[in-house]
Amino acid sequence: MRVNKMTDSSQASAKRAVHPIVKLDHWVRVPGMLVVALFVASHFSGRAYGPLLIPAIVFTGLIWPHSAYLLACRARDTKQAELRNLLVDSFIVGCWITAMSFSLWPAVSMVATMMSGNLSVGGFRLAGKGALAILLGILGAGAFLGFHPVLASGSVTTILSASGLLLMTSLIGIHAHMQTSRLYRAKSELAARNEKIEQQSQVIEQARQTALEARDAAEAANRAKSAFLANMSHELRTPLNAIIGYSEMLEEDAEASGDTSLVSDLRKIRSAGKHLLGLINDVLDLSKVEAGKMKLYLETFDVAGVVSEVVATAQPLMAKNRNRLEVRCAPDVGQLREDVTKVRQVLLNLLSNASKFTEKGTVTLEAVREHDVTGSWVVFRVRDSGIGMTPEQMSKLFQAFMQADGSTQRKYGGTGLGLALCRKFCVMMGGDINAESAPGAGSTFTVRLPGDVENVDGEATSIHLRGAPRRPSPVATPLPAPPGPGRVLLVIDDDAATCELMQRVCTRAGFEVVTAASGEEGLRLARERRPSLITLDVLMPGIDGWTVLKALKEDAELSKIPVIMISISDEKPRGLALGAADYLVKPVDRDSLTGALEPYRSAAVV
């Protein structure tokens, strides 16, 4: 372990960066200390000297310069180590000044050289410390050797001193020049780096501006998309309301008159209208989910009852391809608190897909309650014995506007939106959906929804909505009817076809129908006729439905009249919060409308 640590330490030392001043001082110190050694050798030539002189000269001229370089290179802070080495140089020079009996020219040469070197490397601060180190060297050597000043020097020593001074000042000048050049290079590199950083900053700023512009463009596109969908929803659903409504009424009239051929044609019209409505609803639902505007309306319901309703609706789909539908609903499946409309939509979509891709086969719907470490789950499984799917087709299964492949789309049709919506609805409700399939062996779709609300760990939106139960519709208290008919229904809608359709349907339901084409006219007729019930459109020119509803509820004489909002926009929570008795989304089928009218018709008779 110790060997490994030593090896790591050596490698770290080898990799440590050495300050440039260390190398510069090294090639100045080597000749400088050699010159000092020559001064000493010349001074003591022909004189008596002690046994330590030769080792001291060798140490000064040969050993110390290289030792100083190694010490600096191995130090943690190489620059500070080199500054300490310069102070040691100054101390050695002070010692030799005393040892050479203060010989004038060698002393001047050595002091001048050391002071110049210290000034060039560390400025006045290091020069002051160097002068103090020279003085300490003089005093230290004097304490050991004594003070015997002899200012005169031999001619050879004087010549060496002058030559050494010239050499060392030249070297120090070169040293200073190299330091200056290094500083200029560093400054130039710094300027280049700053320029590069500035360019990068400009690129980043341009990228930021581009991102902001892209964000603004995306937001504008999203607003345009929302406006387009809102306009298209109104423009498409309004005529569809009339197409489906009139086809239902004409079909009923044709059945009453016994014209079976006309009944068949009208059913085709109604079927095509509902199919188109389904496509429009899928596109709008997908847009709402992606925009985060889709809401959950939670209510507690019996799973078995919903399964029965879904099966009844799906039976005609099964008969189309001569398939047999088997239902297995476990006795303990119990109740579920979810958005019952979306649960029905998911199950109907899965059964419709299973029937479409299966011919003369069997489709099974299973509903069970399962328990695991995460809690209780209600699980729906839809199995079929149809054509099945390959792994490649499975990878595209829950992508919007994607069919299994082109041949499947050409043969079986469809937009590819249904399964994408199923997955998004299941995730919103805190669950999920997955599929298993093999070519020629049919498919199995499994829907898992949380049976225990508190154990759900779904999306934040879903949990928030779970905490806000669906608000029950207020119970309307009808006003005492004025003299005359007691079942007056006021229809406020700017679409003439809708008004006519409502008049025909509601008249058959036993109401006397009064229509208004604007919000202003509706308020006037409400005050004049005191209707038992009002149906109110939201999107109208001038005063919109929300303003009319507010005016009705703020009027003491009209506030108790029940109002059913009927609109192409699904804003039920807002309508109920503002006091509406019910909220229906266009196109409204005849059964839903008559069902909504029934409580108020009975109340009006009373």
Side-chain angles (χ1 to χ4, degrees):
M1 182 65 70
R2 183 177 299 174
V3 174
N4 292 337
K5 290 183 178 179
M6 292 176 63
T7 304
D8 295 340
S9 178
S10 301
Q11 291 177 351
S13 300
K15 294 179 180 178
R16 189 179 298 120
V18 178
H19 197 277
I21 195 69
V22 175
K23 296 180 180 179
L24 290 174
D25 282 354
H26 176 61
W27 68 263
V28 173
R29 182 179 287 111
V30 169
M33 286 301 171
L34 186 59
V35 168
V36 171
L38 291 175
F39 288 170
V40 176
S42 174
H43 177 79
F44 283 99
S45 177
R47 299 183 184 183
Y49 52 84
L52 297 177
L53 180 64
I54 299 301
I57 293 175
V58 173
F59 173 79
T60 301
L62 300 178
I63 298 176
W64 167 244
H66 303 291
S67 300
Y69 179 73
L70 293 176
L71 289 173
C73 290
R74 292 180 178 275
R76 184 178 298 276
D77 187 342
T78 57
K79 181 181 178 181
Q80 291 299 322
E82 180 56 30
L83 295 179
R84 290 193 294 270
N85 288 340
L86 289 172
L87 296 179
V88 174
D89 292 342
S90 300
F91 180 80
I92 292 173
V93 165
C95 291
W96 283 121
I97 289 174
T98 300
M100 295 172 66
S101 303
F102 300 94
S103 182
L104 182 60
W105 288 111
V108 170
S109 299
M110 289 187 292
V111 171
T113 300
M114 284 307 309
M115 293 301 292
S116 299
N118 291 336
L119 280 170
S120 65
V121 173
F124 289 104
R125 186 175 182 179
L126 184 62
K129 291 182 179 180
L132 181 60
I134 291 173
L135 180 59
L136 290 175
I138 291 172
L139 295 176
F144 183 72
L145 300 175
F147 297 95
H148 307 288
V150 179
L151 299 180
S153 58
S155 56
V156 175
T157 304
T158 301
I159 294 172
L160 285 174
S161 299
S163 301
L165 181 61
L166 177 62
L167 174 63
M168 294 309 300
T169 52
S170 299
L171 291 175
I172 292 172
I174 295 172
H175 182 278
H177 172 71
M178 294 179 67
Q179 281 188 295
T180 304
S181 299
R182 182 173 59 84
L183 290 175
Y184 275 118
R185 285 196 303 271
K187 184 178 180 180
S188 299
E189 291 176 0
L190 181 61
R193 289 182 181 179
N194 288 337
E195 183 178 359
K196 188 175 181 180
I197 292 172
E198 183 66 25
Q199 292 175 353
Q200 291 176 343
S201 299
Q202 293 177 357
V203 172
I204 293 172
E205 180 62 23
Q206 291 176 357
R208 191 180 72 86
Q209 291 295 333
T210 302
L212 291 176
E213 292 173 1
R215 184 198 65 184
D216 294 341
E219 291 177 351
N222 190 48
R223 289 192 295 269
K225 173 187 172 184
S226 299
F228 170 78
L229 290 174
N231 292 334
M232 289 302 296
S233 174
H234 182 270
E235 296 301 323
L236 292 173
R237 284 183 170 182
T238 299
L240 274 175
N241 187 56
I243 292 171
I244 295 173
Y246 279 112
S247 63
E248 287 177 343
M249 292 186 61
L250 292 173
E251 182 184 341
E252 183 179 343
D253 292 341
E255 288 177 346
S257 63
D259 192 345
T260 56
S261 61
L262 190 58
V263 169
S264 176
D265 293 338
L266 290 171
R267 284 178 179 172
K268 292 176 182 177
I269 294 174
R270 179 165 57 90
S271 177
K274 288 189 174 181
H275 178 68
L276 180 57
L277 176 62
L279 296 179
I280 295 170
N281 288 338
D282 284 349
V283 172
L284 294 175
D285 286 347
L286 184 63
S287 300
K288 284 183 180 180
V289 172
E290 291 178 345
K293 297 181 179 179
M294 178 64 72
K295 298 179 181 179
L296 296 178
Y297 305 113
L298 298 182
E299 57 185 290
T300 303
F301 57 90
D302 289 324
V303 175
V306 171
V307 169
S308 298
E309 296 173 6
V310 170
V311 169
T313 305
Q315 283 293 357
L317 302 174
M318 300 296 162
K320 185 177 180 180
N321 280 356
R322 291 171 289 178
N323 293 315
R324 182 166 53 91
L325 178 59
E326 294 182 357
V327 181
R328 300 170 186 170
C329 190
D332 64 340
V333 69
Q335 293 184 326
L336 183 63
R337 182 170 178 78
E338 288 290 0
D339 189 321
V340 64
T341 302
K342 290 181 174 56
V343 173
R344 285 197 197 100
Q345 188 172 345
V346 169
L347 296 179
L348 279 173
N349 195 293
L350 295 179
L351 290 173
S352 174
N353 271 1
S355 175
K356 182 167 63 173
F357 295 107
T358 305
E359 188 172 355
K360 299 179 182 179
T362 302
V363 176
T364 303
L365 171 59
E366 178 185 358
V368 296
R369 183 174 290 272
E370 297 180 354
H371 301 271
D372 57 22
V373 292
T374 60
S376 174
W377 297 85
V378 174
V379 180
F380 301 94
R381 292 186 179 89
V382 176
R383 296 188 180 92
D384 65 69
S385 56
I387 61 175
M389 291 175 286
T390 65
E392 182 181 359
Q393 292 170 337
M394 292 279 290
S395 64
K396 305 175 183 178
L397 197 57
F398 296 104
Q399 299 178 22
F401 301 101
M402 293 291 291
Q403 283 280 17
D405 55 35
S407 60
T408 302
Q409 184 174 12
R410 287 191 298 272
K411 182 176 180 180
Y412 296 98
T415 61
L417 285 175
L419 290 177
L421 277 173
C422 289
R423 163 65 64 81
K424 293 182 182 295
F425 286 165
C426 289
V427 172
M428 282 185 64
M429 292 186 288
D432 202 357
I433 180 173
N434 55 63
E436 299 176 359
S437 184
S443 305
T444 300
F445 287 84
T446 303
V447 175
R448 288 170 56 87
L449 297 177
D452 183 359
V453 177
E454 295 182 355
N455 287 342
V456 175
D457 189 17
E459 296 180 352
T461 303
S462 300
I463 294 175
H464 173 71
L465 291 170
R466 292 177 187 281
R470 180 185 178 187
R471 179 186 174 189
S473 301
V475 178
T477 305
L479 286 171
R487 293 182 290 180
V488 176
L489 170 64
L490 173 59
V491 177
I492 306 176
D493 199 307
D494 64 313
D495 183 64
T498 300
C499 288
E500 183 180 352
L501 180 62
M502 290 288 292
Q503 187 170 23
R504 294 180 63 175
V505 173
C506 297
T507 299
R508 292 185 180 185
F511 284 92
E512 177 190 350
V513 180
V514 180
T515 63
S518 65
E520 296 89 342
E521 184 182 5
L523 289 173
R524 179 180 60 81
L525 289 175
R527 294 186 181 98
E528 292 177 359
R529 299 298 304 269
R530 300 290 183 85
S532 303
L533 179 65
I534 297 174
T535 65
L536 177 60
D537 187 19
V538 173
L539 301 177
M540 295 186 295
I543 300 179
D544 64 8
W546 301 122
T547 306
V548 174
L549 179 62
K550 182 182 179 190
L552 289 170
K553 296 306 174 183
E554 290 178 349
D555 191 315
E557 297 181 353
L558 305 177
S559 61
K560 292 186 178 181
I561 300 177
V563 179
I564 299 177
M565 306 296 290
I566 302 179
S567 176
I568 56 98
S569 58
D570 186 3
E571 299 183 79
K572 187 170 186 176
R574 181 180 179 184
L576 298 180
L578 292 177
D582 205 344
Y583 195 105
L584 303 178
V585 180
K586 292 181 180 179
V588 182
D589 62 79
R590 184 178 53 190
D591 294 338
S592 298
L593 180 58
T594 54
L597 296 177
E598 182 63 30
Y600 307 105
R601 183 179 64 173
S602 302
V605 173
V606 175

Short mmCIF file of all heavy atoms in Angstrom, two decimals, residues 189-235:
data_model
loop_
_atom_site.label_atom_id
_atom_site.label_comp_id
_atom_site.label_asym_id
_atom_site.label_seq_id
_atom_site.Cartn_x
_atom_site.Cartn_y
_atom_site.Cartn_z
N GLU A 189 -2.60 35.82 -25.86
CA GLU A 189 -3.45 34.64 -25.74
C GLU A 189 -4.74 34.96 -24.99
O GLU A 189 -5.83 34.50 -25.37
CB GLU A 189 -2.69 33.51 -25.03
CG GLU A 189 -1.55 32.94 -25.85
CD GLU A 189 -0.76 31.90 -25.06
OE1 GLU A 189 -1.14 31.66 -23.89
OE2 GLU A 189 0.20 31.34 -25.61
N LEU A 190 -4.60 35.77 -23.93
CA LEU A 190 -5.78 36.16 -23.17
C LEU A 190 -6.73 36.98 -24.02
O LEU A 190 -7.96 36.78 -23.99
CB LEU A 190 -5.36 36.95 -21.93
CG LEU A 190 -6.50 37.41 -21.00
CD1 LEU A 190 -7.25 36.19 -20.46
CD2 LEU A 190 -5.94 38.24 -19.85
N ALA A 191 -6.14 37.90 -24.82
CA ALA A 191 -6.99 38.70 -25.71
C ALA A 191 -7.68 37.82 -26.74
O ALA A 191 -8.87 38.00 -27.04
CB ALA A 191 -6.14 39.77 -26.39
N ALA A 192 -6.92 36.83 -27.26
CA ALA A 192 -7.53 35.92 -28.24
C ALA A 192 -8.64 35.09 -27.59
O ALA A 192 -9.70 34.88 -28.20
CB ALA A 192 -6.45 35.00 -28.82
N ARG A 193 -8.38 34.64 -26.36
CA ARG A 193 -9.42 33.87 -25.67
C ARG A 193 -10.64 34.73 -25.38
O ARG A 193 -11.79 34.28 -25.52
CB ARG A 193 -8.86 33.30 -24.38
CG ARG A 193 -7.85 32.19 -24.59
CD ARG A 193 -7.36 31.63 -23.27
NE ARG A 193 -6.37 30.58 -23.46
CZ ARG A 193 -5.76 29.93 -22.47
NH1 ARG A 193 -6.03 30.26 -21.22
NH2 ARG A 193 -4.88 28.99 -22.73
N ASN A 194 -10.39 35.98 -24.96
CA ASN A 194 -11.51 36.88 -24.71
C ASN A 194 -12.32 37.11 -25.98
O ASN A 194 -13.56 37.16 -25.95
CB ASN A 194 -11.01 38.21 -24.17
CG ASN A 194 -10.50 38.09 -22.74
OD1 ASN A 194 -10.88 37.17 -22.01
ND2 ASN A 194 -9.64 39.00 -22.33
N GLU A 195 -11.60 37.26 -27.09
CA GLU A 195 -12.30 37.46 -28.36
C GLU A 195 -13.11 36.21 -28.72
O GLU A 195 -14.27 36.32 -29.18
CB GLU A 195 -11.29 37.76 -29.47
CG GLU A 195 -11.94 38.05 -30.81
CD GLU A 195 -10.90 38.39 -31.88
OE1 GLU A 195 -9.70 38.42 -31.55
OE2 GLU A 195 -11.30 38.61 -33.04
N LYS A 196 -12.50 35.03 -28.48
CA LYS A 196 -13.22 33.79 -28.76
C LYS A 196 -14.45 33.65 -27.86
O LYS A 196 -15.53 33.25 -28.30
CB LYS A 196 -12.29 32.60 -28.55
CG LYS A 196 -12.89 31.27 -28.99
CD LYS A 196 -11.86 30.15 -28.87
CE LYS A 196 -12.47 28.83 -29.33
NZ LYS A 196 -11.48 27.72 -29.22
N ILE A 197 -14.25 34.02 -26.57
CA ILE A 197 -15.38 33.98 -25.64
C ILE A 197 -16.47 34.95 -26.07
O ILE A 197 -17.67 34.65 -26.01
CB ILE A 197 -14.91 34.29 -24.21
CG1 ILE A 197 -14.01 33.15 -23.69
CG2 ILE A 197 -16.08 34.51 -23.27
CD1 ILE A 197 -13.34 33.44 -22.37
N GLU A 198 -16.04 36.14 -26.55
CA GLU A 198 -17.02 37.11 -27.02
C GLU A 198 -17.78 36.58 -28.22
O GLU A 198 -19.01 36.75 -28.32
CB GLU A 198 -16.29 38.41 -27.39
CG GLU A 198 -17.20 39.53 -27.82
CD GLU A 198 -18.11 40.03 -26.72
OE1 GLU A 198 -17.75 39.87 -25.54
OE2 GLU A 198 -19.18 40.58 -27.04
N GLN A 199 -17.05 35.92 -29.14
CA GLN A 199 -17.71 35.33 -30.30
C GLN A 199 -18.69 34.24 -29.87
O GLN A 199 -19.81 34.16 -30.38
CB GLN A 199 -16.66 34.77 -31.26
CG GLN A 199 -15.81 35.83 -31.93
CD GLN A 199 -14.70 35.23 -32.78
OE1 GLN A 199 -14.48 34.01 -32.76
NE2 GLN A 199 -13.98 36.07 -33.51
N GLN A 200 -18.22 33.40 -28.91
CA GLN A 200 -19.11 32.36 -28.41
C GLN A 200 -20.33 32.95 -27.72
O GLN A 200 -21.45 32.45 -27.85
CB GLN A 200 -18.35 31.43 -27.46
CG GLN A 200 -17.30 30.58 -28.15
CD GLN A 200 -16.50 29.74 -27.17
OE1 GLN A 200 -16.51 30.01 -25.96
NE2 GLN A 200 -15.80 28.74 -27.67
N SER A 201 -20.11 34.05 -26.99
CA SER A 201 -21.22 34.71 -26.32
C SER A 201 -22.22 35.24 -27.35
O SER A 201 -23.44 35.15 -27.16
CB SER A 201 -20.72 35.86 -25.45
OG SER A 201 -19.85 35.39 -24.45
N GLN A 202 -21.67 35.79 -28.46
CA GLN A 202 -22.56 36.27 -29.51
C GLN A 202 -23.35 35.12 -30.13
O GLN A 202 -24.54 35.25 -30.41
CB GLN A 202 -21.75 37.00 -30.58
CG GLN A 202 -21.13 38.31 -30.10
CD GLN A 202 -20.27 38.97 -31.17
OE1 GLN A 202 -20.10 38.42 -32.27
NE2 GLN A 202 -19.72 40.13 -30.84
N VAL A 203 -22.64 33.98 -30.33
CA VAL A 203 -23.33 32.81 -30.89
C VAL A 203 -24.42 32.33 -29.93
O VAL A 203 -25.55 32.01 -30.35
CB VAL A 203 -22.32 31.68 -31.17
CG1 VAL A 203 -23.05 30.39 -31.56
CG2 VAL A 203 -21.37 32.08 -32.28
N ILE A 204 -24.08 32.30 -28.62
CA ILE A 204 -25.06 31.88 -27.62
C ILE A 204 -26.25 32.83 -27.60
O ILE A 204 -27.41 32.42 -27.52
CB ILE A 204 -24.40 31.76 -26.24
CG1 ILE A 204 -23.39 30.62 -26.23
CG2 ILE A 204 -25.45 31.56 -25.15
CD1 ILE A 204 -22.55 30.55 -24.98
N GLU A 205 -25.95 34.14 -27.67
CA GLU A 205 -27.02 35.12 -27.67
C GLU A 205 -27.90 34.97 -28.91
O GLU A 205 -29.13 35.07 -28.82
CB GLU A 205 -26.42 36.54 -27.61
CG GLU A 205 -27.44 37.65 -27.62
CD GLU A 205 -28.36 37.62 -26.41
OE1 GLU A 205 -27.97 37.04 -25.38
OE2 GLU A 205 -29.47 38.18 -26.51
N GLN A 206 -27.25 34.74 -30.07
CA GLN A 206 -28.03 34.51 -31.28
C GLN A 206 -28.90 33.26 -31.14
O GLN A 206 -30.07 33.25 -31.55
CB GLN A 206 -27.10 34.38 -32.49
CG GLN A 206 -26.41 35.68 -32.87
CD GLN A 206 -25.41 35.49 -34.00
OE1 GLN A 206 -25.20 34.37 -34.46
NE2 GLN A 206 -24.79 36.57 -34.43
N ALA A 207 -28.29 32.20 -30.54
CA ALA A 207 -29.06 30.97 -30.33
C ALA A 207 -30.23 31.22 -29.37
O ALA A 207 -31.33 30.70 -29.57
CB ALA A 207 -28.16 29.87 -29.79
N ARG A 208 -29.96 32.03 -28.34
CA ARG A 208 -31.03 32.35 -27.39
C ARG A 208 -32.15 33.12 -28.08
O ARG A 208 -33.34 32.84 -27.87
CB ARG A 208 -30.48 33.15 -26.22
CG ARG A 208 -31.44 33.32 -25.06
CD ARG A 208 -30.80 34.13 -23.94
NE ARG A 208 -30.70 35.53 -24.32
CZ ARG A 208 -31.67 36.42 -24.15
NH1 ARG A 208 -32.82 36.05 -23.61
NH2 ARG A 208 -31.51 37.67 -24.50
N GLN A 209 -31.74 34.11 -28.90
CA GLN A 209 -32.75 34.88 -29.62
C GLN A 209 -33.53 33.99 -30.58
O GLN A 209 -34.75 34.11 -30.71
CB GLN A 209 -32.08 36.03 -30.39
CG GLN A 209 -31.51 37.12 -29.51
CD GLN A 209 -32.60 37.87 -28.76
OE1 GLN A 209 -33.74 37.95 -29.19
NE2 GLN A 209 -32.23 38.40 -27.60
N THR A 210 -32.80 33.08 -31.23
CA THR A 210 -33.48 32.14 -32.14
C THR A 210 -34.45 31.26 -31.38
O THR A 210 -35.58 31.00 -31.84
CB THR A 210 -32.44 31.27 -32.86
OG1 THR A 210 -31.53 32.12 -33.58
CG2 THR A 210 -33.12 30.32 -33.84
N ALA A 211 -34.01 30.79 -30.18
CA ALA A 211 -34.89 29.96 -29.36
C ALA A 211 -36.13 30.74 -28.91
O ALA A 211 -37.24 30.22 -28.91
CB ALA A 211 -34.13 29.43 -28.15
N LEU A 212 -35.92 32.02 -28.53
CA LEU A 212 -37.05 32.85 -28.13
C LEU A 212 -38.01 33.06 -29.29
O LEU A 212 -39.24 33.00 -29.13
CB LEU A 212 -36.56 34.20 -27.59
CG LEU A 212 -35.81 34.16 -26.25
CD1 LEU A 212 -35.29 35.55 -25.90
CD2 LEU A 212 -36.72 33.66 -25.14
N GLU A 213 -37.43 33.32 -30.47
CA GLU A 213 -38.28 33.50 -31.65
C GLU A 213 -39.03 32.20 -31.97
O GLU A 213 -40.21 32.24 -32.33
CB GLU A 213 -37.42 33.94 -32.84
CG GLU A 213 -36.84 35.34 -32.68
CD GLU A 213 -35.86 35.68 -33.81
OE1 GLU A 213 -35.67 34.81 -34.70
OE2 GLU A 213 -35.32 36.80 -33.80
N ALA A 214 -38.31 31.07 -31.84
CA ALA A 214 -38.97 29.78 -32.10
C ALA A 214 -40.08 29.54 -31.08
O ALA A 214 -41.16 29.04 -31.42
CB ALA A 214 -37.94 28.65 -32.05
N ARG A 215 -39.81 29.91 -29.80
CA ARG A 215 -40.84 29.74 -28.78
C ARG A 215 -42.06 30.62 -29.09
O ARG A 215 -43.21 30.18 -29.00
CB ARG A 215 -40.28 30.11 -27.41
CG ARG A 215 -41.25 29.87 -26.26
CD ARG A 215 -40.85 30.62 -25.02
NE ARG A 215 -40.92 32.06 -25.25
CZ ARG A 215 -40.55 32.96 -24.35
NH1 ARG A 215 -40.08 32.59 -23.19
NH2 ARG A 215 -40.65 34.26 -24.60
N ASP A 216 -41.77 31.89 -29.46
CA ASP A 216 -42.88 32.79 -29.80
C ASP A 216 -43.66 32.26 -31.00
O ASP A 216 -44.90 32.32 -31.03
CB ASP A 216 -42.34 34.19 -30.10
CG ASP A 216 -41.73 34.86 -28.87
OD1 ASP A 216 -42.05 34.40 -27.75
OD2 ASP A 216 -40.93 35.80 -29.03
N ALA A 217 -42.90 31.74 -31.99
CA ALA A 217 -43.57 31.18 -33.17
C ALA A 217 -44.41 29.97 -32.79
O ALA A 217 -45.53 29.78 -33.28
CB ALA A 217 -42.54 30.80 -34.23
N ALA A 218 -43.85 29.13 -31.89
CA ALA A 218 -44.60 27.95 -31.47
C ALA A 218 -45.86 28.35 -30.69
O ALA A 218 -46.93 27.76 -30.88
CB ALA A 218 -43.72 27.05 -30.59
N GLU A 219 -45.72 29.36 -29.82
CA GLU A 219 -46.89 29.82 -29.08
C GLU A 219 -47.93 30.42 -30.03
O GLU A 219 -49.13 30.20 -29.86
CB GLU A 219 -46.47 30.86 -28.03
CG GLU A 219 -45.66 30.25 -26.88
CD GLU A 219 -45.20 31.31 -25.89
OE1 GLU A 219 -45.37 32.52 -26.21
OE2 GLU A 219 -44.67 30.94 -24.84
N ALA A 220 -47.45 31.19 -31.03
CA ALA A 220 -48.38 31.75 -32.00
C ALA A 220 -49.06 30.64 -32.80
O ALA A 220 -50.27 30.68 -33.06
CB ALA A 220 -47.64 32.71 -32.94
N ALA A 221 -48.25 29.61 -33.16
CA ALA A 221 -48.83 28.49 -33.90
C ALA A 221 -49.84 27.74 -33.04
O ALA A 221 -50.89 27.30 -33.52
CB ALA A 221 -47.72 27.54 -34.37
N ASN A 222 -49.53 27.61 -31.74
CA ASN A 222 -50.46 26.93 -30.85
C ASN A 222 -51.75 27.72 -30.70
O ASN A 222 -52.85 27.14 -30.68
CB ASN A 222 -49.80 26.73 -29.48
CG ASN A 222 -50.61 25.83 -28.58
OD1 ASN A 222 -51.04 24.76 -28.97
ND2 ASN A 222 -50.83 26.28 -27.36
N ARG A 223 -51.60 29.06 -30.60
CA ARG A 223 -52.81 29.89 -30.52
C ARG A 223 -53.61 29.79 -31.80
O ARG A 223 -54.85 29.71 -31.78
CB ARG A 223 -52.43 31.35 -30.24
CG ARG A 223 -51.91 31.59 -28.83
CD ARG A 223 -51.84 33.07 -28.54
NE ARG A 223 -50.87 33.74 -29.40
CZ ARG A 223 -49.61 33.92 -29.09
NH1 ARG A 223 -49.14 33.47 -27.95
NH2 ARG A 223 -48.79 34.55 -29.92
N ALA A 224 -52.89 29.81 -32.94
CA ALA A 224 -53.59 29.67 -34.22
C ALA A 224 -54.28 28.31 -34.32
O ALA A 224 -55.40 28.20 -34.82
CB ALA A 224 -52.60 29.85 -35.38
N LYS A 225 -53.58 27.28 -33.83
CA LYS A 225 -54.17 25.94 -33.84
C LYS A 225 -55.43 25.89 -32.98
O LYS A 225 -56.46 25.34 -33.38
CB LYS A 225 -53.14 24.93 -33.33
CG LYS A 225 -53.69 23.53 -33.13
CD LYS A 225 -52.64 22.66 -32.47
CE LYS A 225 -53.22 21.31 -32.08
NZ LYS A 225 -52.24 20.47 -31.35
N SER A 226 -55.34 26.50 -31.77
CA SER A 226 -56.50 26.50 -30.89
C SER A 226 -57.66 27.26 -31.52
O SER A 226 -58.81 26.82 -31.47
CB SER A 226 -56.13 27.13 -29.54
OG SER A 226 -55.10 26.39 -28.92
N ALA A 227 -57.33 28.43 -32.12
CA ALA A 227 -58.39 29.21 -32.78
C ALA A 227 -58.98 28.43 -33.95
O ALA A 227 -60.20 28.43 -34.16
CB ALA A 227 -57.82 30.54 -33.25
N PHE A 228 -58.09 27.77 -34.70
CA PHE A 228 -58.58 26.99 -35.85
C PHE A 228 -59.50 25.86 -35.39
O PHE A 228 -60.58 25.65 -35.95
CB PHE A 228 -57.39 26.42 -36.61
CG PHE A 228 -57.76 25.41 -37.66
CD1 PHE A 228 -58.27 25.83 -38.88
CD2 PHE A 228 -57.61 24.05 -37.44
CE1 PHE A 228 -58.63 24.91 -39.85
CE2 PHE A 228 -57.96 23.12 -38.40
CZ PHE A 228 -58.47 23.56 -39.62
N LEU A 229 -59.06 25.15 -34.34
CA LEU A 229 -59.88 24.04 -33.85
C LEU A 229 -61.21 24.54 -33.30
O LEU A 229 -62.26 23.92 -33.49
CB LEU A 229 -59.12 23.26 -32.79
CG LEU A 229 -57.93 22.44 -33.29
CD1 LEU A 229 -57.18 21.85 -32.12
CD2 LEU A 229 -58.39 21.35 -34.25
N ALA A 230 -61.16 25.70 -32.59
CA ALA A 230 -62.41 26.24 -32.04
C ALA A 230 -63.37 26.63 -33.17
O ALA A 230 -64.56 26.32 -33.14
CB ALA A 230 -62.11 27.45 -31.17
N ASN A 231 -62.81 27.30 -34.20
CA ASN A 231 -63.67 27.71 -35.33
C ASN A 231 -64.19 26.50 -36.09
O ASN A 231 -65.36 26.42 -36.44
CB ASN A 231 -62.89 28.63 -36.26
CG ASN A 231 -62.58 29.97 -35.62
OD1 ASN A 231 -63.29 30.41 -34.72
ND2 ASN A 231 -61.50 30.61 -36.05
N MET A 232 -63.25 25.54 -36.36
CA MET A 232 -63.67 24.37 -37.11
C MET A 232 -64.65 23.53 -36.30
O MET A 232 -65.58 22.93 -36.86
CB MET A 232 -62.45 23.52 -37.48
CG MET A 232 -61.57 24.17 -38.54
SD MET A 232 -62.48 24.52 -40.06
CE MET A 232 -62.92 22.88 -40.59
N SER A 233 -64.46 23.49 -34.98
CA SER A 233 -65.39 22.75 -34.15
C SER A 233 -66.79 23.33 -34.30
O SER A 233 -67.77 22.60 -34.47
CB SER A 233 -64.95 22.81 -32.69
OG SER A 233 -65.90 22.22 -31.86
N HIS A 234 -66.89 24.66 -34.26
CA HIS A 234 -68.19 25.30 -34.40
C HIS A 234 -68.76 25.09 -35.79
O HIS A 234 -69.93 24.74 -35.96
CB HIS A 234 -68.05 26.80 -34.10
CG HIS A 234 -69.36 27.54 -34.17
ND1 HIS A 234 -69.82 28.11 -35.33
CD2 HIS A 234 -70.29 27.78 -33.22
CE1 HIS A 234 -70.99 28.68 -35.09
NE2 HIS A 234 -71.30 28.51 -33.82
N GLU A 235 -67.89 25.28 -36.81
CA GLU A 235 -68.38 25.21 -38.19
C GLU A 235 -68.76 23.78 -38.59
O GLU A 235 -69.61 23.59 -39.45
CB GLU A 235 -67.31 25.74 -39.15
CG GLU A 235 -66.99 27.21 -38.95
CD GLU A 235 -68.22 28.09 -39.14
OE1 GLU A 235 -69.04 27.77 -40.02
OE2 GLU A 235 -68.37 29.09 -38.41
#
